[in-house]
Amino acid sequence: MWESIAQRAIACGEYIVRTKCTVRACAEHFGMSKSTVHKDTERLAALNGTLWEQVRDVLGVNLRERHLRGGDATRRMYARRRADKTKTSQ
């Protein structure tokens, strides 16, 4: 699929910057592990410093906001459970 690791790293970096996605979403999009995406973002420092800085900024925002996403996911889960319980009791 990829001609080189460098090409894959740059593609991952561009995707993260373009979509502002998480490492997990990038890994799912490209069909690879989160560890590979992390390693590829490290490789960007030597390949394309400007892109690496942009990726680092996006991933920094995601890191600072992850507790909010987790709380939101938990809130939605319990809301679904309440809705399901209400439907079954009627």
Side-chain angles (χ1 to χ4, degrees), residues 35-64:
S35 299
T36 303
V37 174
H38 277 293
K39 194 66 178 170
D40 283 350
T41 58
E42 291 172 7
R43 289 182 179 109
L44 278 176
L47 297 171
N48 185 336
T50 305
L51 181 59
W52 175 73
E53 288 177 6
Q54 293 172 341
V55 169
R56 188 180 60 176
D57 291 343
V58 170
L59 296 182
V61 169
N62 290 341
L63 182 66
R64 289 188 299 275

